[in-house]
């Protein structure tokens, strides 16, 4: 429900109503907790598609979690990824994941962020266990005995057994708790736009590693508007060194489209951009720890990774699922959902998945985003070698789909 009342008690207080804040609230409500979610932005801004019109490549494991929460919409399957091609520049050697290779349904699905947020918000608004307090921030949080006392911007006070920080890359919750962070600027900006193209993508996603950054093409459903001569659409995440990106962003649309087409390739015929063009400066931000006294961090508040593998939200969703499962077990036994041993177990359980993806995305970007002589051939041969080694190839894909290790258990076994 959406509440105007800001003086109350709840099991769990969540800072942030972004994609991860709403996901953790839904998962916690599912295991029986009462949850309040606080965000300084009002509903109309959070829901505004122009505020975040990126798309998210949702891994199969995440699709299953969202489906269980009643958030998954069948028509999103129009953005199903049925094959992936990973290419070094324009090399003829590439890594290829064909459709249904793992018999796990689609490899993933591309969903507009605004639609994903709206579906979660509607589900959360309808839940009797979730209290949404939008348009006011958490200004202070102090531990008082076995509770967190949070002061809101509008003067309200919330008492909870645990505070969950889901307040994004700059996380005021993380900063307030004095948790140190490792920050490394990539010197890159991701340009995000929608491409209209002549031929259907047939569910094909492409990641082309270019010297100044990765260029990703992600399938979207066809559009029935007249924004372009062609109905076929793909989402583009085009990462460039900062100075190049700024130059691209200042170009007239026809010149921008010329640069876009030269990187896009001709696999889908002619191409042009439609709709807004946005930019996201990239940095790795990793919290030194995911927990503190009566505090757990999830999603970008815990770490923000390079979008090279389209895994940031998927990783955050696995944080939330892990935390919710542990809290559910405690609540069932009438135990404290914010105890140090529960939080310690949560952090340990997330260590491998998080450390692995932070390292993998960081090193992939460093390996491929440069034009060092000699490396081009080695990179192309490396991709081709993985392509010819089914066990390694299968392992990579299981991880990318969120179906490896612990994540497999959280996601369940039925493909969407
Ligand atoms: C170009 C690009 C492409 C990407 N593509 C993919 C992809 O394909 N697949 C994928 O899995 N991931 C992808 N990601 C990553 C993904 O977008 C992020 O991981 C995800 O959006 C983070 O969500 P979040 O809820 O943790 O943080 P945010 O979206 O930053 O939300 C944080 C919320 O906290 C609120 N807040 C701020 N201060 C306070 C306060 N004091 N109190 C309470 N609330 C507060 C904010 O208003 C906001 O609503 C991509 C990222 C980029 C940059």
């Amino acid at each position: 429900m959406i509440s105007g009342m800001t003086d109350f008690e709840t099991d769990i207080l969540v800072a942030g109503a972004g994609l991860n804040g709403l996901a953790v609230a839904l998962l916690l409500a599912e295991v029986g907790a009462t949850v309040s979610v606080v965000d300084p932005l009002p509903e109309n801004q959070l829901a505004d598609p122009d505020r975040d019109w990126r798309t998210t490549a949702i891994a199969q494991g995440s699709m299953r979690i969202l489906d269980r929460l009643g958030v998954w919409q069948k028509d999103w399957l129009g953005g199903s990824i049925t094959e992936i091609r990973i290419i070094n520049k324009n090399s003829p050697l590439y890594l290829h994941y064909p459709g249904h290779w793992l018999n796990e349904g689609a490899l993933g699905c591309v969903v507009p962020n605004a639609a994903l947020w709206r579906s979660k918000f509607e589900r959360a608004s309808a839940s009797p266990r979730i209290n949404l307090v939008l348009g006011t921030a958490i200004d202070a949080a102090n531990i008082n005995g076995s509770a967190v006392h949070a002061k809101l911007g509008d003067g309200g006070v919330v008492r909870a057994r645990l505070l969950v920080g889901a307040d994004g890359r700059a996380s005021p919750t993380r900063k307030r708790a004095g948790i140190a962070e490792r920050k490394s600027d990539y010197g890159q900006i991701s340009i995000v736009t929608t491409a209209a193209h002549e031929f259907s993508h047939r569910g094909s996603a492409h990641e082309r590693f270019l010297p100044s950054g990765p260029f990703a093409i992600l399938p979207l459903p066809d559009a029935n508007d007249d924004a372009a001569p062609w109905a076929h659409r793909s989402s583009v995440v085009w990462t460039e060194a900062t100075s190049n990106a700024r130059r691209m962003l200042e170009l007239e649309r026809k010149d921008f489209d010329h640069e876009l087409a030269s990187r896009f390739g001709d696999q889908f015929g002619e191409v042009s951009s439609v709709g807004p063009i946005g930019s996201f400066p990239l940095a790795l931000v990793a919290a030194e720890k995911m927990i503190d006294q009566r505090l757990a961090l999830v999603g970008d508040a815990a770490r923000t990774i390079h979008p090279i593998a389209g895994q940031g939200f998927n990783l955050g969703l696995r944080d939330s699922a892990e935390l919710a499962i542990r809290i559910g077990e405690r609540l069932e036994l009438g135990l404290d959902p914010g105890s140090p041993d529960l939080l310690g177990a949560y952090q340990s359980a997330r260590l491998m998945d998080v450390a692995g993806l932070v390292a993998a995305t960081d090193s992939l970007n460093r390996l491929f985003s440069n034009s060092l002589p000699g490396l081009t051939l080695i990179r192309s041969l490396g991709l081709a070698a993985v392509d010819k080694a089914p066990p390694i190839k299968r392992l990579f894909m299981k991880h990318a789909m969120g179906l490896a290790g612990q994540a497999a258990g959280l996601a369940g076994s039925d493909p969407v």
Side-chain angles (χ1 to χ4, degrees):
M1 71 190 157
I2 304 171
S3 164
M5 191 185 73
T6 60
D7 217 338
F8 50 85
E9 274 192 47
T10 183
D11 289 332
I12 318 287
L13 174 61
V14 177
L19 292 180
N20 282 311
L22 291 182
V24 76
L26 288 164
L27 283 155
L28 287 165
E30 185 79 7
V31 298
T34 57
V35 193
S36 290
V37 186
V38 175
D39 198 295
L41 297 179
E43 181 192 338
N44 61 353
Q45 279 190 43
L46 284 163
D48 183 359
D50 286 340
R51 195 182 73 89
D52 187 358
W53 38 264
R54 279 172 298 174
T55 59
T56 296
I58 300 186
Q60 175 64 236
S62 303
M63 289 163 68
R64 295 180 194 182
I65 295 174
L66 296 174
D67 194 37
R68 277 204 204 170
L69 291 174
V71 166
W72 188 256
Q73 310 284 327
K74 286 277 179 256
D75 61 350
W76 291 346
L77 290 172
S80 290
I81 299 174
T82 54
E83 71 150 11
I84 300 177
R85 287 173 189 242
I86 302 172
I87 309 151
N88 185 39
K89 288 167 82 181
N90 298 318
S91 165
L93 305 174
Y94 57 82
L95 178 55
H96 183 218
Y97 287 99
H100 304 295
W101 190 61
L102 291 170
N103 294 323
E104 299 278 5
L107 299 172
C109 198
V110 183
V111 179
N113 282 15
L116 188 56
W117 187 88
R118 170 57 64 189
S119 183
K120 287 181 183 175
F121 176 75
E122 276 165 12
R123 201 76 195 164
S125 309
S127 168
R129 293 210 180 99
I130 300 178
N131 180 23
L132 293 166
V133 186
L134 305 181
T136 188
I138 296 175
D139 281 350
N142 299 305
I143 310 295
N144 201 331
S146 59
V148 183
H149 286 214
K151 259 185 114 173
L152 306 191
D154 65 1
V157 176
V158 184
R159 285 165 297 281
R161 312 294 296 281
L162 177 71
L163 172 62
V164 175
D167 45 0
R169 173 162 136 173
S171 178
T173 302
R174 182 183 70 223
K175 290 191 169 38
R176 209 183 300 112
I179 298 177
E181 66 195 31
R182 175 162 70 95
K183 188 166 179 190
S184 158
D185 195 327
Y186 282 117
Q188 291 173 321
I189 289 179
S190 281
I191 300 168
V192 181
T193 191
T194 303
H197 40 84
E198 199 179 358
F199 309 133
S200 170
H201 47 60
R202 296 171 186 272
S204 184
H206 290 224
E207 176 107 77
R208 182 162 287 134
F209 292 120
L210 300 173
S212 69
F215 186 94
I217 305 171
L218 303 162
L220 288 175
D222 287 352
N224 50 5
D225 54 36
D226 52 7
W230 318 288
H232 309 301
R233 298 283 187 272
S234 291
S235 176
V236 171
V237 183
W238 165 8
T239 302
E240 281 283 342
T242 301
S243 53
N244 281 355
R246 292 203 198 291
R247 212 162 41 78
M248 298 299 147
L249 290 162
E250 279 167 12
L251 293 174
E252 299 277 327
R253 184 63 79 131
K254 71 171 178 20
D255 299 324
F256 177 88
D257 282 354
H258 178 73
E259 296 286 347
L260 175 78
S262 71
R263 288 159 178 81
F264 199 93
D266 56 8
Q267 66 279 3
F268 303 148
E270 284 194 56
V271 61
S272 69
S273 63
V274 287
I277 299 167
S279 60
F280 296 83
L282 303 182
L284 168 68
V285 182
E288 181 191 60
K289 54 183 186 173
M290 292 175 74
I291 55 167
D292 200 30
Q293 217 186 340
R294 296 206 172 268
L295 170 66
L297 301 177
V298 298
D300 277 23
R303 99 297 306 170
T304 304
I305 60 174
H306 196 288
I308 190 164
Q311 289 293 333
F313 167 70
N314 292 297
L315 190 61
L317 188 61
R318 297 201 289 273
D319 294 339
S320 299
E322 182 71 53
L323 184 65
I325 286 171
R326 288 176 189 275
I327 288 177
E329 287 165 359
R330 292 300 165 104
L331 289 176
E332 223 171 83
L333 299 171
L335 298 174
D336 181 1
S339 66
D341 62 323
L342 178 149
L343 294 173
Y346 161 65
Q347 176 169 260
S348 306
R350 294 300 299 135
L351 197 67
M352 293 298 282
D353 190 17
V354 170
L357 260 180
V358 167
T361 49
D362 192 54
S363 33
L364 259 183
N365 183 55
R366 284 176 208 283
L367 175 66
F368 282 95
S369 299
N370 64 66
S371 42
L372 293 177
L375 266 187
T376 300
L377 180 63
I378 293 169
R379 288 185 300 233
S380 299
L381 290 173
L383 288 178
V386 173
D387 198 54
K388 299 278 173 290
I392 301 176
K393 192 173 161 182
R394 187 167 280 116
L395 187 70
F396 280 0
M397 187 44 66
K398 283 260 180 194
H399 274 282
M401 291 172 74
L403 298 174
Q406 226 155 359
L410 301 174
S413 56
D414 301 325
V416 173

